[in-house]
Amino acid sequence: MRDDFGEQIARTLTQLADILEGLQPDEWGAQSLCSRWTVRDVAGHIVWRVGGSYGEMLRSTLPMLTLSRTSMDSLTDAVSRQEAEATSPEQLVQRLRRIAALRLAGIGRTGLNDLVESVVHTYDIVQPLGVPIDVDQDASRRVALRGLLFASPDRRVVVARNTLHATDAGWAIGRTKPGAGRIIDGSAQGIVLYLFGRRPLAVAAA
């Protein structure tokens, strides 16, 4: 099974850097789809989570390990906010471009987990801003399949009973037998965000 997604990660992060570079100051402070994070916070999370080695990630979290931050979620929240606040918007853009260049050169992590982080959090930023992004079709499919693996029970039931068809990416997940449930058309972005619990399922207009 394919486990090198360096090109897809690089393409996604380069597009994100282009988008962020054109934002106004107030847009950096806009609410993302992550309930606790602004657009800038999510960008900080990406450069921390995707840009560093596992050792670097661990070292950055250890100073924040306190009784009030004993869960991975709370540590991730704290370090992502710190990364965003300590780095200017211009520097965040530069770091995203640097990460993309390294992945194209085969340097750094290029596995599915990092593809998921890159794609889902890019969607977290661009969807509320109303900015389109062209994620590789195979990349969005693989991210959707990973989202299905960890989706909430009610979402898994929807997929088990129906077929979710990404009309802009040419893939589908769910039941594929004729007459089995409905075919629900949507965008790849909408399906991914649904499976990861960000948004209700957005059905494409007929």
Side-chain angles (χ1 to χ4, degrees):
M1 184 173 177
R2 179 179 181 176
D3 58 4
D4 185 350
F5 300 95
E7 183 177 344
Q8 289 81 0
I9 292 170
R11 178 181 174 183
T12 301
L13 296 185
T14 297
Q15 289 186 76
L16 177 60
D18 291 342
I19 291 168
L20 293 177
E21 195 168 39
L23 294 187
Q24 298 300 313
D26 61 319
E27 291 177 305
W28 280 91
Q31 178 63 49
S32 74
L33 291 187
C34 296
S35 60
R36 302 184 305 274
W37 292 348
T38 64
V39 165
R40 185 170 176 174
D41 292 334
V42 179
H45 174 78
I46 294 173
V47 299
W48 168 72
R49 172 61 181 79
V50 181
S53 67
Y54 285 126
E56 291 169 335
M57 290 170 59
L58 179 61
R59 286 191 292 273
S60 65
T61 58
L62 286 177
M64 298 185 180
L65 185 59
T66 65
L67 290 176
S68 62
R69 294 174 181 153
T70 55
S71 72
M72 192 60 207
D73 283 347
S74 62
L75 285 172
T76 298
D77 184 63
V79 74
S80 298
R81 289 177 185 276
Q82 176 180 275
E83 194 75 45
E85 293 168 1
T87 312
S88 70
E90 294 77 15
Q91 290 171 325
L92 287 170
V93 170
Q94 291 172 2
R95 290 182 65 180
L96 286 170
R97 295 195 189 283
R98 176 61 175 166
I99 296 167
L102 289 172
R103 296 306 176 271
L104 282 178
I107 301 171
R109 298 190 310 276
T110 58
L112 181 56
N113 287 339
D114 288 275
L115 177 67
V116 170
E117 288 284 333
S118 300
V119 171
V120 175
H121 286 308
T122 290
Y123 285 158
D124 285 334
I125 289 173
V126 302
Q127 200 278 344
L129 292 175
V131 180
I133 190 165
D134 181 24
V135 172
D136 178 85
Q137 293 180 0
D138 182 60
S140 64
R141 180 181 69 87
R142 291 176 182 270
V143 171
L145 289 173
R146 177 54 64 94
L148 178 58
L149 183 64
F150 296 105
S152 62
D154 61 313
R155 285 171 166 79
R156 289 200 299 271
V157 167
V158 169
V159 179
R161 294 177 177 174
N162 302 281
T163 299
L164 307 188
H165 175 217
T167 57
D168 57 348
W171 52 258
I173 60 174
R175 303 195 70 169
T176 57
K177 295 180 181 179
R182 294 188 299 147
I183 297 177
I184 302 174
D185 291 333
S187 66
Q189 177 177 314
I191 292 171
V192 167
L193 290 175
Y194 170 71
L195 294 173
F196 280 87
R198 303 298 206 265
R199 280 284 189 265
L201 187 59
V203 180

